[in-house]
Amino acid sequence: MHILLTNDDGYTAHGIQTLNRELKNLGYTVTMIAPRSERSAQSHSMTFYQAVQVNRVSDDVYAVNGTPADCVAIALSCILKDNPPDVIVSGINHGLNVGIDVNYSGTVGAATEGALMGFRAIALSLDTPLLPIAEEKEQHFIKIVSNLHIILKNIDSIEWPKHQVLNINFPADFKSIKSAVCDGNALYVPVVEEFASGNFDDTKIYLIGGKNRHIATENS
């Protein structure tokens, strides 16, 4: 089985790197085509009428200077046109994508692009803020791959409505998978803070996500 991997945390992120390694260890053929850097909260945004640069990092890893949806569109239309994947897996995202938060999610947006192009697509997310230690995250990422492996082995028996994504979220203490309806609640409330003012009174700079998020991203 050929799997296209992507995400919104960037191709060097812990989640997708673990996913890539463990799926290959299980015998899957994997191609990773993911953003060059973090592109969280990009939803289904795409880069129209601008050049998108793609760098081949290794034989089966590509870094894209674009959105998660860009990655999937370019992968399916060009890079993997003659060797299309059997399934698209987006993640493992560092943080949950549930409720109305799926509207922000680049992880889900990437999977949605694949679904709209006629492919089966799965979005995977883990509640990583509750797992501050890297070793704990690694253990949970590996456990997620084990659950994904079960799904992939039985994928032909799953009723998969056209243009729909399988969005799977794992809490920090997950023990089994259960289905749920995506409701209207949100875990994330946008924080907008003034970061700096320009030289003129009518110019200000704001950070959506807050200063703490900005600092954490720079230091991570």
Side-chain angles (χ1 to χ4, degrees):
M1 179 180 288
H2 182 196
I3 300 173
L4 167 61
L5 285 190
T6 192
N7 69 354
D8 70 0
D9 291 311
Y11 80 99
T12 62
H14 190 175
I16 197 171
Q17 288 290 327
T18 302
L19 189 57
N20 185 37
R21 182 191 70 234
E22 294 300 315
L23 285 174
K24 287 179 177 177
N25 287 341
L26 289 169
Y28 293 100
T29 299
V30 181
T31 304
M32 183 197 300
I33 303 177
R36 182 182 302 169
S37 58
E38 183 176 352
R39 299 299 293 265
S40 297
Q42 296 286 290
S43 187
H44 202 159
S45 174
M46 297 188 72
T47 307
F48 286 161
Y49 313 118
Q50 299 180 52
V52 178
Q53 181 176 327
V54 179
N55 294 104
R56 189 171 188 173
V57 179
S58 62
D59 288 344
D60 51 16
V61 177
Y62 298 79
V64 181
N65 186 25
T67 69
D70 287 338
C71 295
V72 174
I74 292 171
L76 300 178
S77 300
C78 300
I79 300 173
L80 299 179
K81 182 179 180 180
D82 297 326
N83 182 28
D86 298 294
V87 62
I88 298 164
V89 178
S90 184
I92 301 167
N93 189 65
H94 295 226
L96 297 177
N97 284 305
V98 296
I100 62 173
D101 295 345
V102 298
N103 294 292
Y104 296 104
S105 171
T107 301
V108 177
T112 301
E113 178 62 18
L116 292 179
M117 295 182 71
F119 290 79
R120 291 179 289 194
I122 302 171
L124 300 173
S125 302
L126 173 66
D127 194 7
T128 51
L130 295 180
L131 300 167
I133 302 174
E135 289 77 9
E136 291 181 345
K137 292 180 183 178
E138 175 76 5
Q139 293 171 5
H140 280 70
F141 287 145
I142 292 174
K143 188 175 179 182
I144 288 174
V145 178
S146 297
N147 282 269
L148 175 63
H149 182 46
I150 295 172
I151 295 171
L152 295 176
K153 287 193 300 182
N154 296 279
I155 198 167
D156 290 332
S157 63
I158 298 174
E159 183 179 350
W160 208 296
K162 189 176 182 180
H163 296 163
Q164 290 196 19
V165 171
L166 186 60
N167 181 35
I168 309 176
N169 288 271
F170 295 86
D173 59 348
F174 71 90
K175 297 179 181 178
S176 63
I177 296 177
K178 298 181 179 179
S179 61
V181 176
C182 186
D183 69 8
N185 294 316
L187 293 179
Y188 171 71
V189 177
V191 176
V192 181
E193 296 182 79
E194 183 178 330
F195 184 63
S197 296
N199 296 325
F200 304 97
D201 292 338
D202 60 351
T203 301
K204 293 182 181 295
I205 299 174
Y206 294 91
L207 285 173
I208 299 177
K211 297 177 184 177
N212 290 336
R213 170 63 175 169
H214 179 70
I215 294 170
T217 300
E218 286 191 337
N219 292 337
S220 62

